[in-house]
Structure formats: structure tokens, C-alpha cells
Amino acid sequence: MREIALVYLDRSGGLQKFVHDCKKYNDSNQSYAVYRFIISINPSDIAELDATLGNYILHNPIQAAQIFQSVCFIAIKTLSLIEQLQTEAQISILLKPTHLPPLPSYVLSLSAFPFNYTSQRFYMSEGIAIAMGTVTKYTQGARFLCTEETCPFSEGRFRYIRVHMPGATESATVRNDFVCSLCSSPLQEDMKFRVLGDKQIVEMIDAKVLNALKGYSSDKSHFRIQTLTVFLR
């Protein structure tokens, strides 16, 4: 699947964009713990190249991103795109589909029951934004070092990298109870390598609420409308 991912990136122009993004990182004077890349993908085109990879991206996007992560790491090392990069764990890949199959199973309906949305895959959802919070910062990635000075992981290495994953809370990325796997000493964040991003909270409600507000009658004697909280990162 790595070979197919590389072929798709080359044919779709994604590889050229990736090289351009790497150049911006390489030319920057700032040090990064995590290098974040957004890769646009067309599920239909990938499925034509390889159905297995196409289905994997649609239904296991987090695991599929690891395939592209491996491909991008090899490309960076082979072409010497980012001199500061040390480990594959420093690469964060966000797969951004151009569209999803027009099938009911890919639509996240706020009015359907039961809610069988247990898998961490892509869904489409439409609704009305009824409230929006201010844009705040969150930690996309951070580097930790061992506090034991005699430990090999106390300096200079990117052994402990924490990267924000979809659906995770802030404490899953940054907190003070991580320990070294080698000597069991506490880990401390190296603040100069923290990577920040923007996030915004939106309250969304199903578009069917408009019918209720207009006073349209319903076959059901009563119903309830529930909002959904969306985190935009």
C-alpha cells in the first residue's frame, strides 16, 4: 500500500505540494518537534488504483495516515528535504478527502436513531451553526525529555514525541505524568519545541429544526432537537 500511496501522490500532484511544504519547513529558522502536512485525497481515484487502500482510507483514516507518514518520511530522507528531521514520529499527516461516496452510511445524521457511529472513519454532516466560540490555541505536537541527567534520553533526541490525534483531549498530548521507558524517571516538556495550532468550537443543529420553527405539523406527537458540538482544528 505504501507503493500505491506514492504513485497516487505523484499522479495527483500531492508529491509536488509535499516537497514545497518541506521547503518552507527547511528554510525556517524555527525548530519543530512535529512537522504537520495536509494531504488532499480523492477516494475514488485511490480506489481505482488499489481498492484495498481506498477502503482503508475511508474506513480506517488514522491507520491509513500512518502509511502516508511512512512514505513521506522515506521521501524526506531520500531527497534530503528537511535537514532537522530525525524520526518518523515527528511527521504528522492529516488526510483531507475531497469528497465521500454519496451513500447513506457516510452521512452523519443527527436525527437518525440508533446512533451507530462507533468507528473512527470519515462522515459527512450538514447542519446549522447556531453558536461559535473564539479561536484559541491547542498543542499539535510536543517533545519531552527525561529529567534524569544520566539517561540517554535526557537531551538531544526526539525519543518522546506527543502528537494530537483526532478526538483526543488536550491532556492526551501534554501533561506532567509521562515517564521514561528506559529509566522510569519523569518526563519534562521541552517548551521551545511545542507546536501550536488554532481551534474553534461550533454548536451545530440539524437543518430539520427549521421545519419546527416554521410551525410545520409532524406525524409524530412530540420530538426533541439536540445540538452537536464540533471542534474545528
Side-chain angles (χ1 to χ4, degrees), residues 109-136:
S109 175
L110 302 182
S111 60
F113 188 85
F115 299 110
N116 293 322
Y117 306 112
T118 57
S119 63
Q120 294 182 324
R121 65 175 177 88
F122 291 117
Y123 291 99
M124 295 181 292
S125 182
E126 292 184 354
I128 304 169
I130 60 175
M132 300 178 67
T134 58
V135 177
T136 58

Side-chain angles (χ1 to χ4, degrees), residues 10-21:
D10 185 34
R11 293 184 180 180
S12 65
L15 188 59
Q16 183 178 359
K17 179 181 179 300
F18 173 74
V19 172
H20 177 72
D21 293 340

Side-chain angles (χ1 to χ4, degrees), residues 44-59:
S44 299
D45 290 346
I46 295 181
E48 289 182 3
L49 285 174
D50 185 83
T52 302
L53 179 59
N55 287 326
Y56 202 56
I57 290 174
L58 288 174
H59 302 107

Side-chain angles (χ1 to χ4, degrees), residues 169-185:
T169 60
E170 186 80 1
S171 61
T173 308
V174 179
R175 61 176 190 258
N176 57 10
D177 60 347
F178 297 128
V179 296
C180 178
S181 61
L182 185 62
C183 66
S184 299
S185 299

Side-chain angles (χ1 to χ4, degrees), residues 7-51:
V7 170
Y8 173 76
L9 289 176
D10 185 34
R11 293 184 180 180
S12 65
L15 188 59
Q16 183 178 359
K17 179 181 179 300
F18 173 74
V19 172
H20 177 72
D21 293 340
C22 287
K23 187 178 185 302
K24 291 191 296 183
Y25 277 125
N26 197 46
D27 294 342
S28 175
N29 295 325
Q30 183 178 352
S31 298
Y32 293 90
V34 175
Y35 298 87
R36 189 169 184 261
F37 300 95
I38 299 176
I39 298 179
S40 296
I41 54 175
N42 186 320
S44 299
D45 290 346
I46 295 181
E48 289 182 3
L49 285 174
D50 185 83

Side-chain angles (χ1 to χ4, degrees), residues 159-227:
R159 168 71 179 183
Y160 299 110
I161 301 294
R162 303 293 300 181
V163 180
H164 178 270
M165 298 295 290
T169 60
E170 186 80 1
S171 61
T173 308
V174 179
R175 61 176 190 258
N176 57 10
D177 60 347
F178 297 128
V179 296
C180 178
S181 61
L182 185 62
C183 66
S184 299
S185 299
L187 297 179
Q188 185 176 17
E189 183 185 356
D190 189 354
M191 293 297 298
K192 65 177 178 289
F193 284 95
R194 178 180 285 197
V195 181
L196 298 177
D198 294 333
K199 74 174 180 180
Q200 187 175 24
I201 299 177
V202 176
E203 283 291 318
M204 195 171 76
I205 198 166
D206 195 286
K208 292 181 179 180
V209 69
L210 291 178
N211 293 335
L213 295 177
K214 290 178 181 178
Y216 291 166
S217 61
S218 174
D219 295 335
K220 299 179 181 179
S221 58
H222 57 272
F223 59 93
R224 184 182 67 172
I225 298 173
Q226 178 70 45
T227 62

Side-chain angles (χ1 to χ4, degrees), residues 82-153:
I82 303 178
E83 297 179 0
Q84 308 94 321
L85 181 70
Q86 295 185 19
T87 66
E88 184 176 320
Q90 290 180 259
I91 299 177
S92 175
I93 300 296
L94 175 64
L95 298 180
K96 185 178 180 181
T98 57
H99 67 281
L100 292 179
L103 300 172
S105 59
Y106 291 96
V107 178
L108 178 65
S109 175
L110 302 182
S111 60
F113 188 85
F115 299 110
N116 293 322
Y117 306 112
T118 57
S119 63
Q120 294 182 324
R121 65 175 177 88
F122 291 117
Y123 291 99
M124 295 181 292
S125 182
E126 292 184 354
I128 304 169
I130 60 175
M132 300 178 67
T134 58
V135 177
T136 58
K137 296 294 183 181
Y138 78 102
T139 302
Q140 290 182 349
R143 178 175 89 153
F144 288 81
L145 297 173
C146 182
T147 55
E148 175 55 53
E149 296 182 356
T150 60
C151 180
F153 301 142

